[in-house]
Amino acid sequence: MRNRLDEQLNMLNKKMIEMSAICQTLIAKAYKALETTDVQLAHQVSDNKAGIEQSEKEIENLCIKLLLQQQPVAGDLRQISSALKMVTDIERIGNQAEDIAEIIPFLKGHTLDDCSKIKQMADATIKMVNESINAFVKKDVNLANSVIEQDDIVDNFFLEIKSLLINLIAENPKEGEFALDILMISKYFERIGDHAVNIAGWVIYSVNGEYKGDM
């Protein structure tokens, strides 16, 4: 019975890593498309989004089977419940990457050079996502805590960008549409950072039973 449970838990871990890899690819493509204003690459984000949704369904089904058919003990239950929570955040990161990609065709010749702060925000956010996933793979509580601490950096970038865009509109009202698009993109990056924090929180919970956040 224990051997069968261990096999299924290993499969769960493998599927979580696979889903995380798809998520990392999506956000990397969305950022690259944004940086280069490559509309074709932006469309690929939407085209590849189905992979995350399929992985989410497979993981949820496996978790339900584990809960119903096996007899998981405390540590196993934490791993299973954490996986159920994390897949939701991973899937939402994919949604936000898709939302960013959908704005790119409307930038109309603008590049990130017109708002360089968003490059810094994007880099900081993607770092959080990658490190939260690495923390999960390595079961690294210290790295997970580091991700949580980085959230303030991304939040501050959002406030800076919002202030810059307000000034941009005041100085040049014709740039209002571009400013709104950039504000939405920065908001999506902020939300991605929040999901990375959630993932990190569930990594900590899966390892030692402590959760930093709302259950």
Side-chain angles (χ1 to χ4, degrees), residues 5-6 11 20 39 59-60 71 98 105 126-127 203 215:
L5 175 58
D6 287 338
M11 176 60 69
S20 299
V39 174
I59 289 168
E60 287 175 345
Q71 295 179 340
E98 185 178 32
I126 292 170
K127 180 173 181 282
V203 168
M215 298 291 279

Side-chain angles (χ1 to χ4, degrees), residues 102-126:
E102 287 177 350
I103 293 175
I104 292 168
F106 299 98
L107 294 179
K108 297 177 181 177
H110 285 288
T111 69
L112 290 194
D113 291 333
D114 297 317
C115 186
S116 59
K117 275 288 178 186
I118 203 161
K119 282 186 176 181
Q120 298 173 51
M121 183 182 189
D123 287 337
T125 305
I126 292 170

